[in-house]
Amino acid sequence: MIETHIQTILQTLDPQQKLVVVTKTVSIEDMQRAYQAGARIFGENRVQELLEKYPFFEDSEVAWHLIGNLQTNKVRYIIDKVTMIQSLNRENLAREIQKQAQKHQLVMDCLVEVNIGNEPNKHGLAIEDIHAFLAFLAHECPNIRVCGLMAMAPYLPAAETRPYFQQMFTLFQECQESATTTPAFTTLSMGMSHDWQVAINEGSTMIRIGSAIFTEESVK
Ligand SMILES: *Cc1c(COP(=O)(O)O)cnc(C)c1O
């Protein structure tokens, strides 16, 4: 049951930890059930799908996060609809977000995406490139508020994901201490359906869960 899955997860989180309910391929009806059960952040990885679903929740308290790789030419469609872009992973995307945010006179909350497992099929910056990228954002993108980091651990049995989450937490703390970040840098988005308990144990402040909520397997 969608409702019990969401409530089970929410009960285990501290107030400063957030649940992003990942709604890619999920029907409006199931999203409404999730909302009724207490979901307040929806994560979508495709712009087209987000735009189709957005009108159904316009009068609700839902915040939308873009969590998938974002094409530069699509930033303008979502800039005034999402409250956070979690997949900021390259310089030209940052420049486009900066441009569109400035045009709309807003400041966009973003997370910098890290490719923590150095996987060729995944997006995100390598750990060693993070500090230079943060410096670039601080100097050249006044309309981007850098709120933290996002990462996906390699797809491994949950127990084997721990070292990746530990590395992320260390990097997160280093970034917080760096002169290139501000006090807004408080979000560490990591943990998905099969590994979120491990991620929480290792310091995640935001988990992104789809299949464990919307398919009939239970939350473990
Ligand atoms: C799909 C997706 C998730 C959720 O994955 P599940 O295994 O279904 O919980 C989280 N983060 C990103 C970036 C995704 O694309």
Side-chain angles (χ1 to χ4, degrees):
M1 285 278 290
I2 292 169
E3 290 79 2
T4 30
H5 290 333
I6 288 181
Q7 278 152 21
T8 306
I9 296 165
L10 288 176
Q11 276 161 17
T12 68
L13 299 182
D14 291 338
Q16 76 277 10
Q17 295 168 330
K18 302 283 181 244
L19 168 64
V20 176
V21 174
V22 177
T23 51
K24 62 188 182 212
T25 73
V26 172
S27 68
I28 299 293
E29 192 193 350
D30 282 354
M31 289 171 71
Q32 277 160 347
R33 284 174 61 188
Y35 183 75
Q36 293 300 326
R40 287 298 177 270
I41 307 173
F42 287 155
E44 285 284 343
N45 63 351
R46 288 179 52 242
V47 167
Q48 178 70 28
E49 189 172 345
L50 189 152
L51 293 176
E52 281 164 20
K53 290 169 168 179
Y54 183 85
F56 290 91
F57 294 90
E58 231 159 350
D59 299 323
S60 72
E61 286 166 33
V62 164
W64 297 86
H65 287 194
L66 202 287
I67 61 172
N69 191 49
L70 179 55
Q71 281 175 264
T72 309
N73 61 4
K74 299 211 170 133
V75 172
R76 62 199 162 107
Y77 300 116
I78 55 140
I79 193 74
D80 58 346
K81 298 194 171 56
V82 303
T83 61
M84 185 177 269
I85 296 171
Q86 296 205 12
S87 43
L88 176 51
N89 53 23
R90 55 194 199 279
E91 197 174 303
N92 72 341
L93 177 59
R95 290 192 193 282
E96 180 63 14
I97 295 170
Q98 166 58 30
K99 183 175 146 193
Q100 295 297 333
Q102 190 173 30
K103 193 166 149 187
H104 287 261
Q105 299 184 335
L106 56 82
V107 174
M108 192 72 232
D109 285 352
C110 292
L111 303 180
V112 172
E113 183 179 2
V114 183
N115 187 348
I116 192 64
N118 275 315
E119 295 173 278
N121 60 334
K122 284 206 179 121
H123 297 279
L125 285 98
I127 287 189
E128 57 268 28
D129 297 331
I130 292 295
H131 291 291
F133 191 60
L134 291 174
F136 155 76
L137 293 172
H139 290 126
E140 303 203 31
C141 303
N143 293 68
I144 291 178
R145 185 188 291 121
V146 184
C147 295
L149 303 175
M150 184 272 262
M152 233 185 277
Y155 194 78
L156 293 168
E160 293 171 37
T161 58
R162 192 176 303 277
Y164 296 96
F165 294 135
Q166 288 172 337
Q167 270 191 71
M168 278 302 297
F169 188 71
T170 302
L171 176 66
F172 178 62
Q173 286 183 313
E174 279 170 22
C175 294
Q176 282 186 316
E177 285 158 19
S178 147
T180 58
T181 61
T182 72
F185 198 95
T186 56
T187 301
L188 180 56
S189 174
M190 59 184 194
M192 310 182 5
S193 286
H194 76 291
D195 59 14
W196 66 272
Q197 283 102 334
V198 183
I200 287 285
N201 276 320
E202 298 304 333
S204 170
T205 72
M206 183 174 275
I207 52 177
R208 310 179 307 271
I209 303 190
S211 53
I213 292 172
F214 294 108
T215 64
E216 277 308 311
E217 71 182 83
S218 66
V219 176
K220 284 174 236 94

